[in-house]
Every structure is written in C-alpha cells, then in structure tokens.
Amino acid sequence: MEDSRLKLGKHSFNSRLFVGTGKYQTFSLMKEALEASGTEVVTVAVRRANIGGKAGESLLDHIDREKYTILPNTAGCYSSDEAVRTALLSRELGISDMVKLEVLGDENTLLPDPIETLKATEILVKEGFTLLVYTSDDPIAARRLEEAGATSVMPAGSPIGSGQGVLNPNNIRIILETLTVPVIIDAGVGTASDVSIAMELGCEGVLLNTGIAQAKVPVSMAKAMKLACESGRLAYLSGRIPKKLYANASSPLKDF
C-alpha cells in the first residue's frame, strides 16, 4: 500500500516522525539518533540553541541542513509577544518560515496557554508563517486554532517529557473528526507503542524528543520509534476490524 506524502503548507515529507534535539548527552549521540529515526524534520528551540552569531558553539553546527528540514520552535515562551518575537527572529536568521508555535502557561505543568497561543497564531498567520501549533487535547481549542489559520494543530498526548503516552485518545479522535488540517501528536511519548497508538488513531504524525534522548539506548529507541510510526500509519490505512463483545470464529463453522 502506497502512502501520500505529509503536506504542511508548501513543505512535504515522507517521514511522519518529527524529532527534537534537546537532552542528548552529546551532539554525536544526537546525530546518530536522528539518522536512526529516519526523520526529515528536526526541531530546534530558538531560545536555547545559541543561534544568531553569539560566541560559542551552535546546535545548528551539528545538523546537516542538506538532509534535514529545521523546524524552529518557540519553546520557553510564556506570552504571545515573546513567541512572536522568537518566530520572527528565526525567519530573520534564515532558518525557516515553518515554525512550531509553543506558548506555555506555567513552568510546573508546561501546559499551553490557550488564550496567548491563539493570539500568537493570529499574528503569525498574518505574517505569512507556516504554523504548527502546540495545544492541549481540548477539541474546542484545536478548532479555534484551525479557524485562526494554523497549518497543523499539535495536541499533547500527555504533559511534556512525562512519557505517559496518549492519555485521552477519545479527545484526539474528536479532534481528528473535527479538523481538516493535519493533526500531529506532540509531547508525552515514552516508547514505540505510544507512537503506534497515535498513528493508528489517524494522526498525520508524531513529534517527540525526550522518549529518544533520555532512553537507555537512544539510537535503538530512535529506530523503534521510526518503525512504530510506519507500522501505526500502515495499520490505520489498512483499516482495523471492529471491536466486538463476543467471539467470531475465524474458521468456517461448517465444512464445505
């Protein structure tokens, strides 16, 4: 079965796994894990990557720009003004016009601020960005972001870095049924089965970081995440059998 490419604005990709660049022990380990994951899109936190001519080593020095599309993100921003400035900076530096928007509500939960996120979305859409927006798994918030012009809506499977997987698949299903833009699970992925579950629900992709970077063997986990993303997508496209309360024999009841 042949799948179509994932389209995000003017960009398109074969891989549906987006991988972050934080929390690795070394840059060389990060590079190995990115290779093993098969990803084509690598996320970079603009505020934390020493970008823009400052003294010292930059994370971007260790990412092959010919091989990967850089997805700058506004991680660490707690207001729409801060997030908008960060996104504009990433474009000014020539990184990308495709940005992952993240506006957090507080430091303890790292949950998104829905009001500031919507405000920043409206501004950046008018600025011409291809916008992938991090949000909660609230279907109404997701719908408002699509109406504001988000290219993709990215509900959290569970809190950032928690490794709890997709805690509320019912809400994700509602979001998938309601929205027409690509839905990409972002945050909370702990292992390969979490990726598979998200893809089997019908999500267009999964973005993760900690699940690979802090695994005991990151490179092996990266490969597992790649395979889970592919198998989950194939299972979704293939169409699972309906769940039934009672048994249904796989062999004929009578011989013919």
Side-chain angles (χ1 to χ4, degrees), residues 76-80 82-83 102-108 110 113 116:
C77 294
Y78 287 84
S79 71
S80 57
E82 193 177 17
E102 183 176 308
V103 188
L104 302 177
D106 66 76
E107 295 182 1
N108 293 321
L110 299 181
D113 183 320
E116 291 297 295

Side-chain angles (χ1 to χ4, degrees), residues 217-235:
V217 187
V219 176
S220 295
M221 183 60 82
K223 185 176 181 180
M225 299 295 196
K226 171 183 183 290
L227 296 173
C229 188
E230 293 172 353
S231 64
R233 177 67 176 174
L234 185 57

Side-chain angles (χ1 to χ4, degrees), residues 129-170:
F129 282 88
T130 299
L131 215 56
L132 285 58
V133 186
Y134 168 65
T135 182
S136 68
D137 60 9
D138 176 12
I140 305 304
R143 190 173 69 200
R144 293 286 182 261
L145 292 170
E146 180 182 51
E147 291 170 351
T151 304
S152 172
V153 174
M154 308 179 77
S158 54
I160 292 173
S162 70
Q164 296 183 67
V166 181
L167 290 181
N168 196 344
N170 287 337

Side-chain angles (χ1 to χ4, degrees), residues 20-35 42 44 48-50 56-64 68 218-219:
T21 52
K23 302 181 180 179
Y24 288 94
Q25 292 182 359
T26 65
F27 285 131
S28 61
L29 182 59
M30 177 196 74
K31 290 171 69 175
E32 284 187 71
L34 293 179
E35 176 72 26
V42 175
V44 174
R48 301 169 183 162
N50 191 20
E57 195 173 33
S58 169
L59 173 63
L60 292 182
D61 297 334
H62 299 271
I63 300 173
D64 185 351
Y68 302 110
V219 176

Side-chain angles (χ1 to χ4, degrees), residues 4-13 16 151-152 182 204:
S4 59
R5 290 168 64 88
L6 171 60
K7 294 183 179 180
L8 298 169
K10 66 181 182 182
H11 307 272
S12 67
F13 308 100
R16 294 173 180 270
T151 304
S152 172
E204 293 279 0

Side-chain angles (χ1 to χ4, degrees), residues 3-256:
D3 194 5
S4 59
R5 290 168 64 88
L6 171 60
K7 294 183 179 180
L8 298 169
K10 66 181 182 182
H11 307 272
S12 67
F13 308 100
N14 286 315
S15 173
R16 294 173 180 270
L17 189 66
F18 294 44
V19 180
T21 52
K23 302 181 180 179
Y24 288 94
Q25 292 182 359
T26 65
F27 285 131
S28 61
L29 182 59
M30 177 196 74
K31 290 171 69 175
E32 284 187 71
L34 293 179
E35 176 72 26
S37 74
T39 188
E40 295 174 48
V41 181
V42 175
T43 65
V44 174
V46 177
R47 292 166 56 87
R48 301 169 183 162
N50 191 20
I51 298 169
K54 299 177 182 178
E57 195 173 33
S58 169
L59 173 63
L60 292 182
D61 297 334
H62 299 271
I63 300 173
D64 185 351
R65 300 288 293 273
E66 296 295 320
K67 185 172 186 178
Y68 302 110
T69 295
I70 303 297
L71 177 64
N73 69 65
T74 63
C77 294
Y78 287 84
S79 71
S80 57
D81 288 344
E82 193 177 17
V84 168
R85 284 198 303 271
T86 302
L88 290 171
L89 173 63
S90 72
R91 186 167 67 180
E92 187 69 23
L93 293 171
I95 302 174
S96 180
D97 66 339
M98 183 171 67
V99 170
K100 177 196 164 186
L101 175 63
E102 183 176 308
V103 188
L104 302 177
D106 66 76
E107 295 182 1
N108 293 321
T109 65
L110 299 181
L111 290 171
D113 183 320
I115 296 173
E116 291 297 295
T117 298
L118 181 59
K119 190 187 300 183
T121 299
E122 293 170 341
I123 294 170
L124 291 173
V125 166
K126 290 179 180 177
E127 290 286 342
F129 282 88
T130 299
L131 215 56
L132 285 58
V133 186
Y134 168 65
T135 182
S136 68
D137 60 9
D138 176 12
I140 305 304
R143 190 173 69 200
R144 293 286 182 261
L145 292 170
E146 180 182 51
E147 291 170 351
T151 304
S152 172
V153 174
M154 308 179 77
S158 54
I160 292 173
S162 70
Q164 296 183 67
V166 181
L167 290 181
N168 196 344
N170 287 337
N171 270 26
I172 301 300
R173 287 176 59 194
I174 294 170
I175 290 172
L176 288 165
E177 290 176 4
T178 305
L179 271 57
T180 59
V181 298
V183 175
I184 298 173
I185 287 289
D186 178 15
V189 170
T191 190
S193 58
D194 299 332
V195 176
S196 184
I197 287 169
M199 297 305 293
E200 287 177 18
L201 285 170
C203 294
E204 293 279 0
V206 173
L207 189 152
L208 59 91
N209 182 186
T210 308
I212 292 177
Q214 295 197 333
K216 289 184 179 179
V217 187
V219 176
S220 295
M221 183 60 82
K223 185 176 181 180
M225 299 295 196
K226 171 183 183 290
L227 296 173
C229 188
E230 293 172 353
S231 64
R233 177 67 176 174
L234 185 57
Y236 168 72
L237 294 175
S238 299
R240 65 158 292 144
I241 63 172
K243 294 181 180 181
K244 298 178 180 179
L245 182 60
Y246 296 103
N248 186 6
S250 56
S251 300
L253 297 178
K254 295 182 179 179
D255 293 328
F256 294 98

